[in-house]
Each structure stands twice: as C-alpha cells, then as structure tokens.
Amino acid sequence: MASALLLCMAAAVQPHIVVVLGDDVGYYNMGFTEGNVEAVTPNMDALAKGGVELRRHYVYKFCSPTRSGLMTGRLPIHVNQENPGTDGGGVDLRMAMMPEKLKEVGYSTHHVGKWHLGETFLENVPAMRGFDTSLGYLAGSEDHYTQRLDDNSAVDLWEATSPAYTKNGTYGAFLYTSTMVDLIRTHDPSTPFFLYAAFQNTHFPYEAPEQYLNNSIPEERRVYQAMARILDESIGNLTVALKANNMWDNTLFVYSADNGGASGIEGCASNNYPLRGGKHLDYEGGVRVGAFVNGGYLPEKVRGTRLEGYIHVADWYTTFARLAGYSPSDGGKGVPDVDGLDVWPMISGENLTSPRVEIPLSVAPPSRWREEGFPTGQGLIQGRYKIVTGNLDDGFWMSPQYPNATTQCGQTKNPGCPDGCLFDILADPSEYTDLKSTLPSVFADLKNRLQQLFSEVFQTAWPPNYTQNCISEAEAVNQHRGFSAPRCVLNATIKLTRLNKGIFPSLLNCYEISLYDGSLALPLGRVRADRLSPNHRLPAPLCTPPSPNRIRPIILRTFEKDSSFQARVSAHPPPPRTAVLNMLSTIIAAAAVAALRPPSVPLVVQDPYTSFWSPFDFGYDGFPVRWDGYVVGWNGVAKVDGDACRGWLGQTQCSQNADQVGIKVTATKTTYQMYISGKVMLNVTFRTPSAIEATPDYTMMTLPMSYMDFEVASFDGAAHNITIYFDVTGEATVSNRGNKVAWSRQASTNNTYLSIGNVDQTFASAQGSDDINWGHLNIGYSNADTGVFTTIGANALDVRNAFAEGQPLPGDSSNQRACSDGWPVLAITHTLAVPATGTVTRRMTIGYDQGDTYMQYFGSSLSAYWQHIHGNYITALDYATANSDDINKRCDAFDAKLTSDLTAAGSAKYAEMGALIYRQVTGAMVTTWNSYTSEAWVFMKEISSDGDVSTVDVIYPAAPMIFYYSPEMFRKLLLPVLVYASNGTAPYGNYVPYNLPWAPHHLGHWPVCDLPPNKQEQMPVEETGNLMILINYIVQQQNDTKWLAPFWDVIEMWGKYLPTALPDPGNQMCTDDFEGPSPHNVNLAIKGIVGIAAYSDLLKAKGDSNGAAQAMAIAKQYAQVWVANGTDSVTTDGVHTKLQYDLENTWSQKYNALWDQIFGFGLVPSDLLSSELKFYLTQMNSYGVPLDDRATFTKLDWSMWIAAMAPQEQFIAISDAIYQWANDTPDRVPFSDWTETTNAQHKGFQARPVMGGFWAKMIMEKAKAGRV
C-alpha cells in the first residue's frame, strides 16, 4: 500500500536530482548563513537567496555517519556511527542505497567525489551500490593534489570497480567538477538524472591553488577560505552545465555540509559562528550546517524564503522517494527500517511545519573514539530542547573574526557536560545557558529518552569470520600497483593458477588456489590439478613443495592441454577456507596453458545488424547482446534423463546451471564446453562460415545463417537421453521493443525454419541508428532430424517454465503483438539418445534475412550476394544444410591455418587475438550484388563511432587483414567509393556529383549511400593518401590496372592535389580526429608523401614513366623536408619525430610509415625509423604504447602497425601488452581499438573493423619475402 501510495504521489515528471555535499564546511564559512564578508561564495549565496534556505538542517557530527544517513534514509544510530575502520563502519549490504532505489524507477545515477561508506569489500564501492558511474576516493581524507592517503601509503582514487590509474595528480575539486560537467553535458534530459556530488573541499589537508588565495585574510584561515571559494565555483559550474543542457528547469538542487567545521580539532581555519563547537561534537556547531534547495523544480511561490523547521539529512531519502516514485522501505531484512520523513510538503509550501520533532544526534558513541582521544558524548533534540552529554572538550565559541574567541582557538577551557546539559536551541542557538537546573523534568525526560534509544542502536559491522578472506592493506596496495583497494573477498570466484614449472619441474600439475572478486586475489593454498574432477567433493590433496613464483591468475578460455580454470562461488558471509576447497566440484582435471579471456565472446557475427555476442565468462550469466549491448533474449537449457534443467545460455528458469569448463574461440567458430548433471559432456558451437579463402567463395561467405552444433558424449560411461532447448525473442528485429512482431514457419522438402520479425517491414526505418526494424530472425533445422519439437509465438516465460518444470510446451500463438508483450519466442527442442561410448551430434542454423534490399546506393536497391545465387532464404538454407559438412571442414582448415600463420609470424598470443578479431572484421561488412555492373560489391560499416558507410579512414586500418586473405575482395570494397568519387552515380537513379579535388570520407549513413560532397567530413590529405596507398597495393598484388580505367581521371586529380597540400598539411583533420585538431601533423604528412609515391607506382604500372619519375621526385623531396622539420631537435630520450612540425619535445606514433616499408620506397631513413621504434619502447606502459604525448590512451590498430615495423622482440612486447589488456579489461564489449595504456579500460570504440590492422605484421612479412 505504501509503495502504491508513493507512486501515486510521484510527480508526473520525475525531477533531476543533484545532491551536493561539502566536507567539513564551517557554518560561518559561506556568505549566505551569517553574512561573512571574507567568504567568496557568490554562487551558493545566490542559490540560497533565490531558493529555500534550510536554517535548521541537521547532520551527524562527523563524516561517514552523515553520508550513511543520506544514502539509506536512516538516522545514523540505525546504520552507522563510525568512520569505516577495522571493526565496522559504512553501510550494511542489506540496506538499499538511494541510487539503487532511483535506478528502479528509471534514473541514471552517478557518484563523484568522496565515498567513505565502506571500502574493505568490492561490494562496498559505489558502482556496486547502485551508481551507474563513479569516480572518487573511498577513504575519508587524502591529499588534494596527489590523491595519496594521509599516511602517504597509497593513492586513493577509484573509478567504477577498479583504480583510476591515470586520473590522479589533478587538484581534486577540479577533477571532480570536470567529470560532473561532462556527465551533465552528455546526459539525455529525457531520462531522470541523479548526481551525488561529494566534494573534498573543505576537508583537511588545507590546500588550494595560489590564485584562489586572498592575502588580506589572516594566514590561519586564508587557505581554508580559498577552498570554500573553489567549492562555490564548482557549484556554479554545475548549475551552468545543467542550464546549458536544458535540465535546470526540472532539477531539484540540494546543498548541505556533512558536519560542522573542524574548529579547534584541525587548527583555527574553520568557523561555525554563532554556533558553539564544531566537528566531532553534538553542539550545534558540529551538527547544524548551512543548507539550501534550489532548481527549476522548486515551486515559484517558495523561492527566496527561509525555513526554520527541522530537517535531518536522512529525510532526503524519503523525500526523494515521493518525488521520484520509489518505495523507501527495504521490506525488512534484519536491519532497522528507514527513519527519513517526507519534508517536501514543508519545502514546497504545502505545510508550514516540519513533520520532524525529534532528532537523535548520536547515541552510545563508539569506544574507538574514546581510545583515540576524540571528543565523546551524545545528543538528542526534542522540540525546542536539546540534551548533550559527555566530555565535550572543544565546545567553545568563536567570534565573526576569529581567532578572537571567548577562549583561544584550540586551547580548551570548557568543562563540557559530563553529567549532561540542557539547552533551548530556539531561544539560545549558541548554547550559552545550561537549563538542567531550571527545567529538571525536561532534562530527566530527555535523559530517559537517550537511555531508551541505546537499545535501538544498530552498527554496521563486518560479516562473521571475514578476516579469513582478507589480505593486508599493504598486499592489496601492492596488487593494485600503489593504489588503495578493497582487501577482502565476499562474492568471489575461485581461481587456480598454474605454478611455474620452469622453477620447480616437480610441480607440473600443481596449482595455487585463490579467491577473486574482480579486484583482489586472495591466496588460499596449493592443490594438485590431476586430483580434481567434477564429482570430487572433498578437499583435494595439497601440494607440498614450497610455493614458487606464479604466473598471473587467468580465467579458462579454452579447454586444452595446460589450461587454467575457475569455479564460481558466492556466499554471505564468506565461507572458511575448507569450505572453499569443497566447492571445487565444478572444476575438471586439465593441464595448463594461458588462454585469452575474450572481453566479449562472438556468437553469430554475420554483418553489422546480425552481430551477437556474450559479454560474460559463462554463457548463463546473462542474455547475449548485439555488439552495442542491446539485449537479445536468447535462452539455452538442457536436461538429462528428466533431471532438473541446467542453463547454459541467457537468463534461464533453471535452478542450476551447467558446469561450464571452457570457451574456445577460433576465427569462425566459438564452442562452449560443459558438463550436464555430471552425466554427459556437451559442446555447443556457433559457426559463422566467413572464411576468406584464397579464391573467395562468396556463396559460402555470404550465407545469411550460422551453424549451431550440439555434440554430446557420456561422461559417466552410461547411456542417457538429453533434451536441448533453445529459443529467441524478436528483440533482434526491432529498434523499439514496443513494435509489433509476427512469426511463421517456412519449409522445403528438406528443411524448415521458424521466423520472427517486425510487422512493419519498411527498409531503413531505423537509418541513423544501430538497430534494424526490418527483416526476419530465423531458426532452421533438417526435416530428417528426429526428436524435434518447435513452438512459435508463445510467451517466453510460459515456454521456458514449461520446459523447466517438465510440462508440455505450449502450442503456437497466432496473435501478432508487441515484442515486449510476453516476449513471443521461436523455441525448439532436440531430444537425443547419448550412447555409453562415442558421441552424438545435432546441427541447426540461426540467421537473419534482411529482405530484398541490403544496401541502397544512390537510389538503387542492392540485394545481398546470397540472394543473387539462391533467390530466397529457404533455398539458401537447403544449400547450407546440404553442404554443411564441407563448409565446416573448410572453415576448420581456415581457422587452423590462421592460427598457424599468426603463431609462426608472431606468437600464440598474437594468434589468439587474431582468432577473436577475425569475425569482428568480417561482421562489419556486407557483400551485395550490383545488377548494373553484374559484379559483387562490398560495403563496410563504421561500427560504434559514426555508423557511416564505407568510411575511407576505417577501410584503411582494416585493410591488412583483407589484403592478406584476398586483395580481390578488397578491390570490391573500394568500388562503391571510386564510382561515387568518379561521378558515376547517375545510373543508380540519384545522381550526386562529386566536385571536390580530394577523396571522399564516406558514402552515407548505414545502410543508405546518398551523401553529397558538401556534407562530407573533410579530411583531404588523410583520405586521398589512404586511397592512393590502398589502390597501389591492389595493383601490386594483382599486377593489373585494367579495372582502374573508369577511375584514372579522379586518380590523376588526386595525384595533382597531394603535392599542393604537402609537405605540411596545415590545419587539416586526420583519422585520429577524436583527439581534436593537430595542425602541421607529422604523421599525416608522411601518409600524404607515401601517397604521392604510391601515385608514382600507379603511373608506372599504367606506362607513364615520365609522370612516375616526376611524382617520385616530389615524394623524395618532400620526405627530406619531412625528416628535417619533423625530427625532434631538443629531445633527450633518443632521436624521434615530433607530433607537429612546430612543436618540439613532442612525439606520436608514425604508423603511416608502414606503407613506406611495405612498398620499399625508402622515404623514411632506416636509421631514423630504427631510432623512432626504439623510442616507443621508452614510452610504453603496462597495456601498450600511447598514441602520442597528449594522453595515455592508444589505438590498438595503429599500435600493431608500429609493432609490425619493429624487431621481433618489440613486436612481441607490444602484442603481449595488448593481449594482457584484452585479458584484463573490465569493459565487456567486443574488442575495442581505443584503449587506455595505464589501466585496462576502453575509451569508447568497440567492435570496429579497424582491428583488421592486427594483420599489418602479416603483410609486412609478405613484403620482406618479396611478395608485395
């Protein structure tokens, strides 16, 4: 009832909510409270004056309890009265925090700044407590500039679920403000927004940039007042950002301090005049703080007013519940319920009085404060009276211009209130007069009430036996490269790490066991891997030799000889060590080799719309997603002999999951390896037949379906029956889940497929997005298969529950309805008899038919190549099924050769990355049939960055992989671009003249090519140099220029343009435009110069020797200028080139020099190139070489280009660093090409085909062998 009432009371439009918390801000240190003339706080003053000033806003007397009350809606006596420490503190994990509640009702939630609500377990950090994003520090205090803890032991700066390795070193308020402004600037105002802005200012240590200091203020308070000024400036910047993004009119903006200023405790800097005392005391100066509300959501009638009614910081939780529409109650979980009261009626002017008449300030103070010498005491407010008790040593008064105080600041002569004091805080807000003798009955009543409250105190504490699963703070810092981090494991993964057999050969099968929660590895002991098995229920024998050095813990990705593996365990509280060892029942015996943990696992990756991945280590951890994270509701389950079902893919209805023991990824295939019920072994394989053979077989490569194979064998030596269930929803076919979908069956003599798709089949109805609104998702199977049952259109939960419960599956539904209306599914089951020995297999298909038009090219609809061959989907399915054995055999051979080739040229790790990347590249392309020219055309999508069609500076980095396997396929990729640039679009129905003297950037927005030249993103030298180089490589490989006949005019125009724009490209944009402008770019210049030399090659191939000589002469002349002006003359760390011609002591990756090496032009002197490559090693970080000196991030495609030019040991070093990034990144998206080098995060790109650049090494090896 309460929940329903709150939802009814919620506003029609949920407000954006911004809560700003200042740290240790004195009551008198802002202008709006008491008119302090030294306070430069114009923004806060204006917001308080123009909003509602809260004159009696109460908090706890120090940091963490106030924050605990704000985040949980509980009075601190019911959640936490300690700063997080050895024995407790923070917020009990059973209590729902405010952001968790806000997320339930659709809010985007963000934390920036101080946390101080628990840091010992990873589960304590903000990202685990409901915040979508988080950047800040976990402890209570640190250096403002370095972010190092007060004892200098570690850096405390945390982002999401890992250290923010590259972001420390900036004054905290500036870092946090810029982060918050970016969050606001990029937010969609139509989504409700919550920001918890927990500033570090004005907490000790007192530090501020010099420009904020007012030297006319006495020294003891000069820096503090500057810190308050910075806080005010930051608040001003937040309001400006909210207004600029059209959010302010619907924003509720709340400001408060977390406690009073630390007067007398941390010097004389802060001032709480006219209130008595300060931080750590229950006097008004410690618990009553300056506060206000503003924002466009605030009713007009109350703006410019002051409220005297009581508000406790815990009341915001319940007040926001009313406004946002969530229920504030936790529902009872063995912890006190929410205390917060709804104060919106008072704030909004509906009522004149506050619902709060009692405020327990602190009760039964923690003994640790007494032990450490902090002031003690407790306090309670009832009505106008307040009782405080205890040894309140620093409870003195300060004057407006301190330190001229009643008692000198920091020198206590006040006896405190050991027996208790009573004050009338309405008549005597400065607490001068103790009334306990005058009003003894009131004093007795309040003292008795304090005694009653003692029995209600709840203090967050650690789980039982938590120390068994902890390491020391020093060990945690060491594991996190000098950053403070959680040091205990609560929700954990068991990891086994192969011990280094090179040091102790006798430990060949010995593994170290550790608990791992995504941040922290906690060693538990050593175990013999050959004594572990899926049904092993007892602790395995421990290894006895001493522990040698260990390799880095990794997760099993491939079930082969020498593998490492993991089991999952979750427990509240954490289990003792013997219990952990008993949970090794899901681990199988295997020998160990490191294998890559994919950031995301490719499943069905056919084209830009049919690109589905699993971003999890275990298939059953969640539903598969499209490359952009859009969920597609696929569900996979299995049953053996009628046992309880086991989930293996998606979020299933099974109470248990399969024992997944491995994932193996090759170029065209992904296999999940698992045990079901301890009885059978099941391999589930997704195969996309995208192998680019020496002579590309477009009939195979363009098939609109992938194979899905099930291979089953008995594990226990007995015969069994297995039923495998699989279903899909219609989510992959709509951009809006509210769209109606329809379903059907189609059949031929040999095969049947189930189909689901949008009712509205309008082509390109989702153009400009990454969604598709047309076409059909299909599941196919052979009519010859026995034991098959299918149903279509039934509600997902009905079908899934029926299978899980052993009931007959519901029949077909004939009602078209919204995709989200019960989530209608295509469902299929296969029942197989599993022999006691040997294997049984079953093959089905899953694919997507986009209809008659796959691309639109300047008015003409281009069908898919497979449609040209087969006509329709059922015929293509018949072909795929009839030839499936041959196709899979050829794909296996291709996969094996890819692995062999890349291993021989680089390393096994390089080959693993290549296998993972391969489908990412092929899945960004579509092969169509051009009926006008009667040939295949290939288009490439610029996935995840702009969504453009055939972006030239995306094709360029992707080129090495396609070149390596098929220059002819690459030629077909260039044809649509060259026809457009050569003014050849008229025959297609929509003539768009191309009138620029340089090459185009792209053709349009996927899947429509229609872009006029004046709408291009102009990159003249970039794109012209790219195309010259790419065309030249094709001609060199094919020894043929006849295909260029229609394009010679435009090629010659480009050949004339490049010399006019070089050797200095001026202020032109390059492909790395995400970094912003880089005028006089040295790397762009060498691309253009190599482009001129490539033009010379083309002229020579055409037979124009004179023109070729002239072009080459220009290229060599410009190369000399490039060397003379591009080499850094002031560097002290080795000869290298500059970022810009005009900037000394700078550098950037010169990846464009790769083509000079491949073509053998000799434009870049070998000694300079050698020195350049050596220099990169000096700049290398844990996860690679930065792109240039402006930031620590890099581009992985370009990094592999520079690695390809380097000696083998440097190639391995760079390649291994990237491998480690892929293995460590917490960002579970398809392989990113824009990544950090100091941590394992990605910067924003994902699934892009530019990763074909990883094959730069392979075409470089071909060049060395003279095969260019």
Side-chain angles (χ1 to χ4, degrees), residues 1037-1053:
Q1037 289 291 296
Q1038 296 186 328
N1039 194 28
D1040 176 27
T1041 61
K1042 292 191 294 293
W1043 67 280
L1044 289 177
F1047 314 124
W1048 273 119
D1049 287 347
V1050 73
I1051 291 173
E1052 289 175 355
M1053 179 174 68

Side-chain angles (χ1 to χ4, degrees), residues 828-846:
I828 186 169
T829 65
H830 298 270
T831 299
L832 305 173
V834 183
T837 59
T839 61
V840 61
T841 61
R842 175 59 56 87
R843 176 167 288 157
M844 54 182 276
T845 63
I846 180 168

Side-chain angles (χ1 to χ4, degrees), residues 212-257:
Y212 289 88
L213 301 179
N214 181 351
N215 291 328
S216 66
I217 297 176
E219 183 177 357
E220 62 269 18
R221 58 184 186 267
R222 183 183 304 154
V223 177
Y224 184 94
Q225 205 63 64
M227 295 170 71
R229 177 182 175 185
I230 293 169
L231 172 62
D232 177 83
E233 180 184 276
S234 297
I235 290 173
N237 287 332
L238 296 186
T239 62
V240 168
L242 289 163
K243 292 172 183 176
N245 198 27
N246 298 316
M247 295 169 64
W248 181 255
D249 289 346
N250 189 40
T251 292
L252 188 66
F253 191 100
V254 179
Y255 168 80
S256 171

Side-chain angles (χ1 to χ4, degrees), residues 53 61 81 165 381 415 473 480 484 498 501 617 654 763 795 818 865 907 937 966 1064 1076 1115 1170 1179 1194 1214 1237:
E53 184 183 349
K61 56 191 172 186
Q81 294 186 92
Y165 285 116
I381 296 172
E473 292 180 8
H480 291 83
S484 176
R498 174 65 182 275
K501 63 185 179 184
D617 291 329
C654 303
F763 171 75
N795 289 353
Y865 185 89
S907 67
W937 273 14
S966 176
D1064 183 347
S1170 176
Q1179 304 302 311
T1194 193
I1214 294 175
T1237 62

Side-chain angles (χ1 to χ4, degrees), residues 756-774:
I756 190 169
N758 198 340
V759 170
D760 179 4
Q761 286 290 304
T762 306
F763 171 75
S765 55
Q767 185 194 0
S769 76
D770 295 310
D771 305 317
I772 188 170
N773 270 343
W774 61 96

Side-chain angles (χ1 to χ4, degrees), residues 1 7 245 417 793 808 827 895 929 1029 1079 1121:
M1 178 66 73
L7 290 173
N245 198 27
C417 295
D895 292 357
W929 179 251
I1029 290 168
V1121 175

